[in-house]
Amino acid sequence: VSGETAPRIGFVGFGEAAQAFARGFREAGIAMATYCSGANNQPPYTQSFRDRAQSLGVSPVETLAELCSRSDLIFSAVTVSSALPVAASLAPELNGRHLLVDINASAPAVKRKTAEMVLARGSGYVDAAVMGAVSIYGHRVLIYASGPDAGRLHALATPHGMQIQVVGEQPGMAAAIKMLRSVVTKGMAELLAEAMMAAEKAGIADAAFRGICDPMDATTFSKFAVMCLTTDAIHAGRRAAEMEEVMETLREMGVAPLMAEATYRRLNWTAASGIREHLKGQVPSDWRAVLAYYRNLDTSE
Ligand SMILES: NC(=O)c1ccc[n+]([C@@H]2O[C@H](COP(=O)([O-])OP(=O)(O)OC[C@H]3O[C@@H](n4cnc5c(N)ncnc54)[C@H](OP(=O)(O)O)[C@@H]3O)[C@@H](O)[C@H]2O)c1
């Protein structure tokens, strides 16, 4: 893939993500092709599929071989369950001219396996984790990229409006960051749901909503995160005792304390880990001091 001329683009799969990217690349006048073979669209394509592709400046092709012969930068945008088999079919068609950008929301292990197959062909590979909604941001959506060719993707795609942030040398790292972010964002969503469910039953929903949001609005999430990570290490034991009361209160309000109980269990785990003693009871200024202690601890149970 040359950085001097615009790369020809290929999409494996032509759903929401591929079409959003195509819309963006179309503005840049880049040549594009797609091979799609899902439950709804597969060769020979319907006229409406062809029309949709053509309206976005994309030529539908009937085989992966043809897609590879017509493109340099190939996006795999299929489904999580088909990402690996699709890569296995694609690999024999790839060579040193290609750069495969795997935007499927697959697990890190799947990305590593895919990378192995693709890199063995001499092709480039990028684990690309889409960090937002393509329906909102289109091809400008923030993408975390990892793998040996992530920098190459950054150089190639940035001039065409893509937002590529290189986050690691190894395939799977970008996918892992996306999953770990889900631990926090989906976890927070359920914590809020649990708390607000109880607030509604207690007739204090509006005030509780402000009580939760106002202190957060007054700070930044980064400052809040540092405070959480550093004080948790020292105060987990006391907080675990407080959570017992919280759980009882939720039960009295008629809400099963599913998330609160998980918090209670994590606090007890932290208190028993020895981190407080390790830090001599002092809240560290750097959250990395806490993680350094956990690094060599068995955290699997
Ligand atoms: N949309 C987003 O905001 C977003 C964000 C982050 C990550 N992603 C990831 O990007 C990938 C695509 O997402 P999407 O939203 O575009 O999904 P989608 O709308 O369901 O599109 C998937 C496309 O892949 C095609 N396909 C399925 N199996 C195939 C196969 N074996 N060979 C070739 N094509 C195949 C489908 O064909 P049919 O048309 O026949 O169904 C469809 O065109 C997913 O892995 C998703 O996790 C999407």
Side-chain angles (χ1 to χ4, degrees), residues 38-275:
N40 310 300
N41 298 289
Q42 64 288 117
Y45 304 113
T46 60
Q47 193 56 46
S48 81
F49 180 86
R50 289 179 180 282
D51 291 346
R52 190 162 61 248
Q54 240 114 47
S55 75
L56 293 168
V58 178
S59 309
V61 299
E62 308 249 326
T63 63
L64 283 171
E66 194 183 346
L67 185 81
C68 292
S69 75
R70 291 176 63 146
S71 37
D72 315 301
L73 186 58
I74 300 178
F75 289 85
S76 175
V78 288
T79 55
V80 167
S81 59
S82 59
L84 197 56
V86 163
S89 309
L90 190 61
E93 312 297 340
L94 297 173
N95 57 46
R97 188 167 55 73
H98 295 112
L99 179 56
L100 180 67
V101 183
D102 186 349
I103 69 159
N104 297 297
S106 318
V110 172
K111 298 260 177 152
R112 285 194 292 271
K113 266 192 212 156
T114 309
E116 229 170 82
M117 286 191 291
V118 171
L119 294 170
R121 299 290 310 164
S123 165
Y125 176 84
V126 178
D127 164 12
V130 179
M131 302 301 280
V134 294
S135 55
I136 299 173
Y137 303 106
H139 78 303
R140 295 178 194 277
V141 68
L142 175 64
I143 290 183
Y144 274 12
S146 75
D149 303 294
R152 196 145 65 100
L153 176 66
H154 181 274
L156 272 174
T158 306
H160 304 297
M162 287 181 72
Q163 314 264 359
I164 307 292
Q165 197 164 317
V166 178
V167 294
E169 288 286 303
Q170 289 162 30
M173 287 179 164
I177 293 171
K178 180 169 167 149
M179 293 218 163
L180 296 176
R181 187 177 72 162
S182 288
V183 172
V184 175
T185 54
K186 293 191 172 71
M188 284 196 312
E190 296 317 302
L191 287 168
L192 274 170
E194 190 164 298
M196 291 307 298
M197 220 182 282
E200 178 66 22
K201 285 186 189 276
I204 49 174
D206 288 343
F209 187 82
R210 292 269 48 97
I212 293 166
C213 295
D214 289 347
M216 301 293 266
D217 290 347
T219 185
T220 67
F221 196 83
S222 297
K223 284 183 190 157
F224 176 69
V226 170
M227 192 269 288
C228 289
L229 285 168
T230 53
T231 64
D232 175 62
I234 305 304
H235 301 308
R238 170 172 57 75
R239 289 176 184 169
E242 288 166 4
M243 278 316 283
E244 282 189 290
E245 300 278 311
V246 171
M247 282 156 56
E248 195 43 43
T249 304
L250 281 176
R251 282 192 200 97
E252 280 166 14
M253 290 171 166
V255 175
L258 305 181
M259 298 300 293
E261 188 179 347
T263 302
Y264 172 70
R265 290 175 59 198
R266 175 56 77 192
L267 284 165
N268 274 327
W269 182 93
T270 303
S273 74
I275 180 80

